[in-house]
Amino acid sequence: RRMLPFVGVPLVGSFATFVGFWYLATYRDMEFQPAVVATATFVFLAIGLLGITYSVMSASWDDDREGSGLGIDEFQKNIASLKEGLSRTKENALLRERMAGLSEEEIQRAIEASEKNDAAAKRQKEWME
């Protein structure tokens, strides 16, 4: 829903800018530095890139829930999910490094302890609700 205004408009603006410079140079005999044309076109393309990023990040990632008009709530929720995923990835990498020197028995004990902690946390969360 947000793809057209956030991506389409800047993309059309980029093409229109380029065509406008071409028209002015060809039919109005105006001269422009190539850097000016490139910069003006690039600005619209960069806005389009930001727009497509926002469009994806502000979409509802939950199939059962339709997002809002601007998607501000969904954007915040998705950014939090992304940060959480990156944090878990970092934690997993650190855990793998620590596990590299452990024996199989030590790994199994650590897994069992982790599962017990997860179960206790789940019970506590259920109790709090």
Side-chain angles (χ1 to χ4, degrees), residues 25-59:
T26 304
Y27 294 107
R28 301 289 184 204
D29 292 327
M30 296 176 76
E31 291 186 19
F32 300 99
Q33 292 291 326
V36 172
V37 177
T39 301
T41 305
F42 177 76
V43 166
F44 281 104
L45 290 175
I47 292 170
L49 179 62
L50 292 174
I52 198 166
T53 302
Y54 182 76
S55 295
V56 170
M57 293 303 295
S58 66

Side-chain angles (χ1 to χ4, degrees), residues 51-116:
I52 198 166
T53 302
Y54 182 76
S55 295
V56 170
M57 293 303 295
S58 66
S60 177
W61 292 352
D62 185 5
D63 291 338
D64 299 333
R65 186 170 162 241
E66 185 166 332
S68 63
L70 287 178
I72 294 171
D73 294 334
E74 291 83 5
F75 181 78
Q76 292 171 343
K77 181 181 175 191
N78 293 342
I79 289 293
S81 296
L82 190 62
K83 287 180 181 178
E84 180 183 334
L86 291 173
S87 174
R88 278 195 315 255
T89 301
K90 182 179 178 182
E91 290 171 6
N92 288 342
L94 292 173
L95 186 61
R96 282 192 197 99
E97 284 180 21
R98 285 193 288 170
M99 287 176 47
L102 298 177
S103 69
E104 187 67 32
E105 185 178 302
E106 291 172 314
I107 293 172
Q108 284 302 321
R109 279 198 310 257
I111 290 173
E112 290 170 4
S114 176
E115 288 173 351
K116 285 180 185 178

Side-chain angles (χ1 to χ4, degrees), residues 2-15:
R2 287 176 281 283
M3 202 63 94
L4 182 62
F6 285 107
V7 179
V9 172
L11 190 61
V12 168
S14 176
F15 293 136

